[in-house]
Amino acid sequence: MLKQLYIKNFTLIDTLDMEFRSGFSVITGETGAGKSIILGAIGLLLGQRADSKSVKMGTDKCVIEAHFDLSRYGMERFFDENEIEFDAEDTIIRRELTSAGKSRAFINDTPVALSMLKELGEQLVDVHSQHQNLLLNKQDFQLNVVDIIADDAKELTDYQQTYVRYQELKKEEQRLREDIEQGRQQVDFMQFQYDELTNARLSDGEQEELEQRSETMSHSEDIKTALYEAESALSGDEGGVVSNLKKAVSALQGIEHVYPDVAELAERMNSCYIELKDAAAEVSGKMDDVDFDPAELDMVNTRLDRIYELQKKYKVERVDQLLAIQEELGRKLSNIENSDEALAEIERQVSETLKDAQRKAELLTEKRRVAAGAIEKQMRERLVPLGMPNVRFEIAVEQEPLGRCGQDKVSFLFSANTSTPLQPVSQVASGGEIARVMLSLKAMISGAVKLPTIIFDEIDTGVSGKIAEQMARMMSEMGHCDRQVISITHLPQIAALGSTHYKVYKDETAQGTTTHMLMLNDEERVREIAQMLSGSDVSEAAIQNAKELLKL
């Protein structure tokens, strides 16, 4: 339930801070007073796209904040899943918009993406504006109404998962057929390519190893010369580093007993001697390893030329890419060879999944037909008191090919008179009749869906008098079931039945036009409703009439 709405620097609003109550409330005000501005602010809170022009001229930022009491609606799961702190009695959503066009959204002071704000907003508030009456033209809206009353969310989800699987298998079957057809046309060429790569006996890492061997053998003389010079410098008979270092160590060790200060130095030099002696042995060993074999070099270069040739032919740069091509060719050839079996298997899966989807679609149809009967009965019961004594309302459920929502095409058929045949409601109902149908649908749906707040924006279009009063009573009843109903209206009959009455008005100041909103007391309500009855010149008769409507 919406407890409080705070708006600052939004279009014509400087600051608005308004408390809201449970039950059935009404908002009135002259045309152009700013009721749509307040609805626009609420729309931003519900995740609608923002326009920087909405920021009041001359200010840098607008802020819209709402406090909700969700203690009776079991919404903890949303907050747990999104790791947002949950305060059931005071959930705060806020939207900030700068004049530069930057927008930020918050839930309980946690920054969130606009999509998350919209997801929560859809669970908090339903705003029914006049243009929503056009939804009666939409088949998906009509089907959604039936699904809500049928309470078939589990069955629908189960069906949709199977249907998606069926669609995936159909695509897989089509791809396989295309691969087989294409493969059969190219099988000889593919076999030649596969044999060519297979006979090459490629191995991953081979190219790098061969390139290194070729490089080494091509410079074998340079390598041997460098190794010989290194060995001579280390182990040569005259002036070799190893033998000279050994002499130095022996000299120092010979004086250790008379000059102990050289003991550590001798030890360090001896370690160096051991290390250098070992390195000299390794250098000597490598001289034996390096040997130039023209035949081996030719073999290595021939193998590399073959690898380079294949890489150029198949337009790749590495052996592992050639191996991947070989594997893919092998897979395609195997598919072609086993195509009949593979195709038969995928066809079997498609057939079984289709039967499963059809079975689940039938279950949906059964639940929808039962729900359609219940909706027809409820709608007649709701529409008769709204001035349609001869109303007929039926739901046609026709079969169509399987789709994402099943196999059912739903149409709402309507006739307000016994002499008029049933036709789609959007084609035969007048504006006032459509308003009453939509209100009845909303009242029925609200009984099945626990939505904290419902706002009706001039749903009374095209009705007046006794019918308007009956519509108000219906909205009032909706507000008695742990639900908050707010109606923006121009009709005194509806305004008089609200348990709380708000007025929106404009004020012309030296700084410009500003929109305000206030909660009316009993005396102010009398004058507001009297003005709605008689216009700007409020007569005594209008005041008395207003008191009668308010039962004061």
Side-chain angles (χ1 to χ4, degrees):
M1 181 189 85
L2 176 63
K3 297 194 304 178
Q4 183 178 3
L5 178 64
Y6 173 80
I7 305 172
K8 186 173 180 62
N9 297 333
F10 182 72
T11 63
L12 298 181
I13 297 175
D14 285 329
T15 302
L16 184 151
D17 192 357
M18 185 60 58
E19 291 184 3
F20 287 85
R21 297 176 179 175
S22 60
F24 177 46
S25 302
V26 295
I27 299 175
T28 61
E30 295 180 2
T31 301
K35 300 185 294 296
S36 61
I37 294 175
I38 294 171
L39 273 183
I42 292 174
L44 286 183
L45 279 179
L46 303 183
Q48 293 180 5
R49 289 193 174 276
D51 186 344
S52 60
K53 295 178 182 177
S54 300
V55 180
K56 186 175 177 62
M57 189 176 297
T59 63
D60 296 328
K61 181 176 75 171
C62 77
V63 178
I64 304 162
E65 181 176 287
H67 294 246
F68 288 86
D69 181 351
L70 305 180
S71 55
R72 297 190 299 276
Y73 300 99
M75 296 182 64
E76 294 88 345
R77 182 177 176 181
F78 172 88
F79 293 85
D80 290 342
E81 289 178 349
N82 293 288
E83 298 181 350
I84 298 174
E85 182 180 351
F86 180 58
D87 185 341
E89 295 182 355
D90 189 24
T91 294
I92 306 170
I93 61 176
R94 185 169 79 254
R95 187 86 180 270
E96 297 178 357
L97 178 65
T98 69
S99 56
K102 293 183 178 179
S103 172
R104 296 197 301 167
F106 302 84
I107 300 175
N108 288 339
D109 289 328
T110 300
V112 297
L114 192 60
S115 58
M116 188 180 297
L117 186 71
K118 186 174 183 179
E119 182 183 350
L120 177 60
E122 289 173 349
Q123 300 177 56
L124 295 179
V125 181
D126 175 29
V127 179
H128 181 91
S129 57
Q130 293 181 55
H131 76 270
Q132 276 197 306
N133 290 338
L134 299 175
L135 289 173
L136 280 175
N137 292 323
K138 308 283 186 183
Q139 187 191 121
D140 55 351
F141 170 77
Q142 298 179 18
L143 181 60
N144 188 45
V145 169
V146 173
D147 282 335
I148 289 172
I149 302 304
D151 192 20
D152 60 9
K154 182 179 179 300
E155 289 82 1
L156 181 57
T157 299
D158 194 20
Y159 163 77
Q160 288 177 334
Q161 290 173 345
T162 303
Y163 179 73
V164 168
R165 175 60 180 156
Y166 166 68
Q167 293 291 90
E168 291 172 347
L169 286 170
K170 286 288 290 181
K171 290 178 181 177
E172 188 176 336
E173 178 190 6
Q174 182 61 28
R175 283 195 300 269
L176 180 58
R177 289 183 184 277
E178 292 172 357
D179 284 349
I180 291 171
E181 180 61 28
Q182 185 180 16
R184 283 174 175 164
Q185 295 173 3
Q186 301 178 359
V187 65
D188 291 339
F189 181 59
M190 289 167 59
Q191 186 67 55
F192 168 77
Q193 289 182 313
Y194 178 73
D195 290 343
E196 180 179 48
L197 291 171
T198 302
N199 293 335
R201 299 184 182 278
L202 300 167
S203 62
D204 199 9
E206 176 187 16
Q207 180 180 351
E208 292 78 5
E209 181 183 347
L210 289 172
E211 287 173 340
Q212 182 59 56
R213 285 172 62 190
S214 175
E215 185 75 11
T216 299
M217 285 190 288
S218 297
H219 295 83
S220 59
E221 290 302 323
D222 295 336
I223 295 169
K224 290 190 74 168
T225 298
L227 289 173
Y228 175 77
E229 291 177 353
E231 185 190 32
S232 296
L234 289 169
S235 304
D237 294 335
E238 295 182 5
V241 173
V242 175
S243 59
N244 285 336
L245 185 57
K246 177 61 176 175
K247 291 176 183 178
V249 172
S250 297
L252 291 177
Q253 288 176 341
I255 62 172
E256 279 184 15
H257 64 288
V258 294
Y259 188 39
D261 289 355
V262 299
E264 182 183 351
L265 189 57
E267 184 179 348
R268 287 165 55 196
M269 291 174 65
N270 190 50
S271 296
C272 293
Y273 164 73
I274 295 170
E275 184 67 26
L276 280 174
K277 184 180 179 183
D278 185 55
E282 286 192 32
V283 169
S284 179
K286 290 192 179 294
M287 286 182 62
D288 296 333
D289 294 340
V290 176
D291 191 17
F292 177 66
D293 184 349
E296 183 182 359
L297 178 60
D298 185 59
M299 181 187 69
V300 168
N301 287 335
T302 299
R303 179 63 174 168
L304 282 172
D305 288 342
R306 179 58 175 156
I307 292 173
Y308 296 151
E309 178 187 355
L310 289 172
Q311 288 174 344
K312 183 177 180 181
K313 182 175 181 178
Y314 290 94
K315 298 179 180 179
V316 296
E317 297 179 352
R318 302 191 310 273
V319 170
D320 64 319
Q321 292 173 311
L322 287 172
L323 290 169
I325 293 172
Q326 178 184 336
E327 183 180 355
E328 178 66 11
L329 287 168
R331 185 190 66 79
K332 287 183 177 180
L333 288 168
S334 177
N335 285 344
I336 294 169
E337 185 178 348
N338 303 301
S339 58
D340 292 340
E341 294 86 345
L343 191 57
E345 173 60 21
I346 194 70
E347 287 175 343
R348 182 191 65 78
Q349 292 181 34
V350 168
S351 176
E352 289 183 357
T353 308
L354 175 59
K355 289 178 183 177
D356 193 22
Q358 289 172 331
R359 180 182 61 80
K360 291 173 179 177
E362 286 291 342
L363 293 175
L364 272 176
T365 299
E366 290 176 16
K367 296 201 73 170
R368 286 166 173 168
R369 289 189 184 280
V370 172
I375 293 170
E376 292 170 350
K377 182 173 182 297
Q378 281 197 53
M379 288 297 288
R380 283 192 290 269
E381 292 174 350
R382 293 179 184 279
L383 289 170
V384 169
L386 295 180
M388 300 185 190
N390 299 313
V391 69
R392 285 179 293 157
F393 186 94
E394 294 183 10
I395 299 177
V397 182
E398 302 173 358
Q399 274 202 1
E400 60 180 6
L402 287 183
R404 183 160 182 80
C405 294
Q407 61 182 5
D408 304 312
K409 178 182 178 182
V410 169
S411 301
F412 288 178
L413 305 178
F414 173 84
S415 174
N417 308 297
T418 54
S419 59
T420 305
L422 285 164
Q423 294 185 53
V425 61
S426 60
Q427 296 179 15
V428 296
S430 66
E433 289 169 341
I434 285 180
R436 283 174 274 176
V437 169
M438 285 301 293
L439 176 60
S440 299
L441 285 173
K442 289 279 183 173
M444 180 181 61
I445 291 172
S446 69
V449 179
K450 273 199 166 185
L451 196 68
T453 300
I454 300 176
I455 300 175
F456 291 105
D457 181 17
E458 298 184 9
I459 196 167
D460 47 37
T461 300
V463 300
S464 60
K466 190 74 174 176
I467 304 305
E469 183 181 343
Q470 289 297 328
M471 290 178 73
R473 293 191 185 283
M474 186 177 292
M475 287 186 278
S476 180
E477 289 173 7
M478 292 169 63
H480 292 157
C481 304
D482 282 342
R483 192 174 297 105
Q484 180 185 49
V485 178
I486 301 171
S487 176
I488 298 173
T489 182
H490 287 291
L491 297 182
Q493 293 87 349
I494 291 180
L497 286 179
S499 56
T500 309
H501 190 154
Y502 304 89
K503 179 178 180 178
V504 178
Y505 65 96
K506 285 195 302 188
D507 189 18
E508 300 292 342
T509 67
Q511 288 73 36
T513 304
T514 58
T515 291
H516 304 274
M517 182 178 183
L518 58 86
M519 185 188 300
L520 303 181
N521 58 32
D522 288 346
E523 184 179 341
E524 290 167 335
R525 288 192 73 182
V526 170
R527 186 158 190 85
E528 173 68 6
I529 291 175
Q531 190 170 358
M532 294 172 72
L533 287 165
S534 64
S536 56
D537 296 327
V538 178
S539 64
E540 186 61 34
I543 289 177
Q544 290 303 316
N545 195 0
K547 288 182 178 179
E548 289 178 11
L549 286 175
L550 289 165
K551 294 182 170 47
L552 294 176

